[in-house]
Amino acid sequence: MHLGLTLFEEMVFEDGQLVNGSLLDYQVATIKDMPRSFRSVVVEVPHADGPFGAKGAGETGALTVAPAVANAIEDAVGVRIRDLPITPEKVLRALAEKDGATLPRDSSL
Amino acid sequence: MKREITLNINDRDETLVVDDAETLLEVLRDRLKLWSVRESCGVGACGSCTVLLDGRPVSACLLLAVRSTGRDITTLEGLGDGQLLHPIQEAFVSERALQCAYCTPGFVLSVKALLDEIPNPSDDEIREYLSGNLCRCAGYADILRAVHLAREKISRAPVKPE
Ligand code: FES
Ligand code: FES
């Protein structure tokens, strides 16, 4: 699900070493993170050379949760987050920067 | 240390010699070839190794085999009758509540425990109960539907071989 990529999933490296390489530390979306309702819409753009217009779709590129969440955040608080996952820290940092402040950098953020 | 233990698995007694350090997961999977029991994280964080111990879901990767004696252990293999699928399995199939299906045995057993405990769960209760089972393909919406369908199937046909 694109939700994990958008909100949670991040491989954190320190000194070239992966430091969250287990499911205890690498956060995956659970059933509780699933939105109460959502509607998916298929935008059909037939591919000229594919059988019946079909084309293989890379999930990451084809799904649109990330832009939807980024748009919603921008709409709500006026900051644009351009890298995934969109974490509360990143939003806070962007808000602080918008006000001309800088938050201290933590190596894990 | 090695010792001989008897485990009751899917209503059958299995006697075998195990090392004290062997997990229930290793015994079920590697020794008894119950392939539905799957390891993913190995540290109790994902639920893919879920089995039922006296009807309650446990992570088999965290449980020592020697500590599982005298309990009724149920794996997915013990859920249907060998011919027919259990209504929960049927519901997962018809709602297509799986993609790669690696997480599915764990989910099905957690749903079994859920419906035994709360026959008419709300969406929130289902979410709470299943939050220890991870699905990386994210069939969560379909799984939620499958639970409701399973609940209907079970209430329509309460006597079902298990
Ligand atoms: S393998 Fe046992 S909980 Fe993940
Ligand atoms: S179906 Fe693939 S992890 Fe759940």
Side-chain angles (χ1 to χ4, degrees):
Chain A
M1 187 160 50
H2 216 206
L3 189 67
L5 179 76
T6 304
L7 295 178
F8 309 119
E9 295 186 29
E10 182 170 30
M11 293 168 83
V12 180
F13 289 90
E14 269 169 31
D15 300 327
Q17 198 64 43
L18 181 66
V19 293
N20 66 337
S22 94
L23 281 174
L24 290 174
D25 307 306
Y26 180 93
Q27 201 188 347
V28 172
T30 76
I31 193 166
K32 282 172 101 177
D33 297 310
M34 190 183 68
R36 280 192 192 271
S37 77
F38 56 85
R39 196 165 56 95
S40 5
V41 181
V42 179
V43 181
E44 294 202 23
V45 185
H47 186 63
D49 304 326
F52 308 106
K55 184 182 181 183
E59 288 188 12
T60 311
L63 303 175
T64 48
V65 179
V69 171
N71 288 344
I73 289 173
E74 186 171 18
D75 188 38
V77 294
V79 294
R80 186 81 187 168
I81 311 295
R82 294 186 188 278
D83 63 324
L84 301 178
I86 304 177
T87 59
E89 290 88 340
K90 285 185 190 164
V91 176
L92 192 65
R93 212 173 273 294
L95 284 170
E97 272 161 26
K98 196 173 98 173
D99 294 340
T102 6
L103 296 180
R105 284 271 155 203
D106 177 314
S107 62
S108 66
L109 295 184
Chain B
M1 202 181 111
K2 294 212 183 289
R3 65 182 84 213
E4 186 178 278
I5 59 168
T6 301
L7 296 174
N8 185 282
I9 299 160
N10 300 331
D11 289 329
R12 267 185 43 192
D13 278 343
E14 304 276 358
T15 300
L16 65 179
V17 176
V18 301
D19 193 274
D20 280 349
E22 261 177 277
T23 63
L24 183 60
L25 169 72
E26 286 163 339
V27 168
L28 293 175
R29 196 177 163 81
D30 303 340
R31 307 278 209 97
L32 300 172
K33 311 296 179 203
L34 294 167
W35 304 122
S36 78
V37 191
R38 295 169 181 172
E39 177 170 18
S40 171
C41 68
V43 292
C46 73
S48 71
C49 65
T50 301
V51 299
L52 301 183
L53 205 67
D54 294 337
R56 311 283 305 147
V58 295
S59 295
C61 69
L62 286 187
L63 196 68
L64 294 176
V66 291
R67 299 290 304 269
S68 320
T69 55
R71 321 281 296 266
D72 289 335
I73 301 163
T74 309
T75 70
L76 192 75
E77 287 83 354
L79 210 58
D81 64 357
Q83 297 294 318
L84 291 175
L85 292 178
H86 187 278
I88 299 173
Q89 293 173 297
E90 287 175 359
F92 267 67
V93 172
S94 45
E95 289 297 339
R96 291 181 295 252
L98 45 98
Q99 189 172 324
C100 75
Y102 197 85
C103 67
T104 310
F107 263 104
V108 169
L109 289 171
S110 288
V111 172
K112 167 87 170 77
L114 163 68
L115 294 178
D116 284 346
E117 192 182 323
I118 314 172
N120 254 319
S122 66
D123 270 6
D124 279 344
E125 284 170 323
I126 298 171
R127 283 169 182 258
E128 185 64 42
Y129 209 98
L130 298 182
S131 60
N133 288 82
L134 297 181
C135 174
R136 188 49 164 55
C137 303
Y140 293 136
D142 313 294
I143 290 169
L144 205 60
R145 276 203 312 277
V147 177
H148 285 300
L149 180 62
R151 175 187 50 98
E152 276 167 37
K153 281 175 183 277
I154 289 171
S155 61
R156 262 188 270 129
V159 273
K160 188 82 192 174
E162 283 180 4

